[in-house]
Amino acid sequence: MGAALRVLSAILFFCSVPLVAQAKDVRLCYDEWTPYAYDDQGVARGLAVDMATRFLEDAGHSVTFVQMPLARCHFSIRYGAVDGLLLDDLSMADQTGLVTSAESLVSRVTVAIVRSSFTVTTYDGPESLDNTNWLKVIGQPYPEEILANDTMHPVEVAEYAKGYEMLKRHYVDVLFTDLACLRFSGGDQKSLMEFKVLRPAVETAKRYMSLRPELASVINDFDREMAHGLVNGVVDDIYRRHLGFSRVGFARYVGLSDVPIANPGGLIAQ
């Protein structure tokens, strides 16, 4: 009987080894983007950080975060220093051969900010801003329709920090920023009273988690857990904690959708 138990124990031990080996420590790189991903005294925080952590850990994986400019993130992925990007767009992921999550973690909602005295009140395409100067921060993404508009004149700067000051002093006529960053970053809202947001949004672009192709199984695990999180309310709880809205509520706020997602991608077995 003792020998049989020892054999059974050995079989159970060896059977358990592959299960342990499947667990991964996923290293995700992110560029600073409040309130979705940002560094807080050496600790990664934000809505997307919480989502990646929650659903990767629910799937049995651990996750660590590295904050770097986007170009360095791609370089680090290429040379194996990190495993993927926390927030990537589909076109870039396709170019680099990365595998992406089935659902977007967040949406970048680009809006146009002008002075309160600016005569234009709504955005009706790039022609709304003909013959204006706009603030272009080197290295930041902008809508293609703006980049291709020859009647708008970019004023290139190295950083965004003094953008509102440049707008107030008439050095530029318009600047583009992310709505969530503008609305929820916790900045001085009084300082924004001199400006207005042109609606509707100029552009909405979804951002996904992406990993190296050999980690496709990890993405599948993440997709499964996030699908459950969308249905059982975990995703909404994370959104409310960071933005004050549920995921659908935020989509309604920016005019993206009025239809809640009951079963995203058919990932939950009925």
Side-chain angles (χ1 to χ4, degrees):
M1 178 66 71
L5 286 174
R6 285 194 295 273
V7 171
L8 179 59
S9 297
I11 292 172
L12 291 174
F13 173 79
F14 286 112
C15 286
S16 68
V17 170
L19 295 176
V20 174
Q22 289 176 0
K24 302 287 185 184
D25 177 27
V26 182
R27 298 160 296 172
L28 290 176
C29 192
Y30 70 94
D31 200 352
E32 191 89 0
W33 182 12
T34 306
Y36 297 125
Y38 57 93
D39 179 88
D40 180 13
Q41 298 182 345
V43 178
R45 301 195 188 281
L47 185 152
V49 169
D50 282 0
M51 290 178 66
T53 301
R54 172 63 186 264
F55 299 129
L56 283 170
E57 289 184 350
D58 283 354
H61 308 292
S62 59
V63 59
T64 54
F65 299 93
V66 180
Q67 191 274 321
M68 287 189 287
L70 192 59
R72 289 182 59 190
C73 285
H74 284 291
F75 179 86
S76 299
I77 294 169
R78 191 160 62 248
Y79 287 94
V82 297
D83 296 312
L85 273 173
L86 174 61
L87 295 169
D88 201 3
D89 64 67
L90 290 180
S91 61
M92 183 59 70
D94 288 343
Q95 291 176 29
T96 54
L98 302 179
V99 291
T100 58
S101 56
E103 292 288 334
S104 62
L105 275 65
V106 304
S107 292
R108 181 181 180 88
V109 182
T110 303
V111 292
I113 310 295
V114 297
R115 291 179 297 277
S116 58
S117 59
F118 200 70
T119 56
V120 175
T121 58
T122 60
Y123 180 81
D124 297 313
E127 61 274 10
S128 304
L129 302 172
D130 281 354
N131 302 313
T132 57
N133 297 326
W134 64 284
L135 184 73
K136 181 181 182 183
V137 183
I138 298 170
Q140 291 295 314
Y142 293 97
E144 287 298 325
E145 62 180 12
I146 298 301
L147 295 174
N149 184 6
D150 294 333
T151 69
M152 289 184 65
H153 313 291
V155 177
E156 294 194 348
V157 296
E159 59 181 15
Y160 186 81
K162 298 187 182 299
Y164 289 104
E165 188 67 22
M166 293 179 69
L167 189 62
K168 184 165 61 176
R169 293 177 179 271
H170 293 240
Y171 294 149
V172 294
D173 303 303
V174 59
L175 59 86
F176 299 96
T177 189
D178 173 59
L179 182 63
C181 185
L182 171 72
R183 175 66 178 81
F184 303 106
S185 62
D188 181 9
Q189 294 298 315
K190 284 186 178 180
S191 66
L192 301 177
M193 296 300 290
E194 301 176 58
F195 311 109
K196 61 184 177 182
V197 179
L198 300 185
R199 303 294 296 273
V202 174
E203 180 186 66
T204 300
K206 294 182 177 181
R207 295 290 186 266
Y208 299 77
M209 189 176 76
S210 61
L211 298 178
R212 292 182 287 112
E214 56 268 33
L215 294 177
S217 62
V218 176
I219 280 287
N220 291 337
D221 292 342
F222 176 83
D223 287 343
R224 182 187 66 247
E225 297 303 326
M226 184 171 174
H228 284 290
L230 285 164
V231 172
N232 63 24
V234 171
V235 171
D236 276 343
D237 289 343
I238 295 173
Y239 261 74
R240 287 191 193 97
R241 186 161 66 249
H242 289 276
L243 303 184
F245 289 94
S246 68
R247 189 172 190 246
V248 173
F250 184 66
R252 288 172 178 166
Y253 175 74
V254 299
L256 304 179
S257 170
D258 198 43
V259 181
I261 302 171
N263 187 9
L267 294 172
I268 302 295
Q270 299 298 310

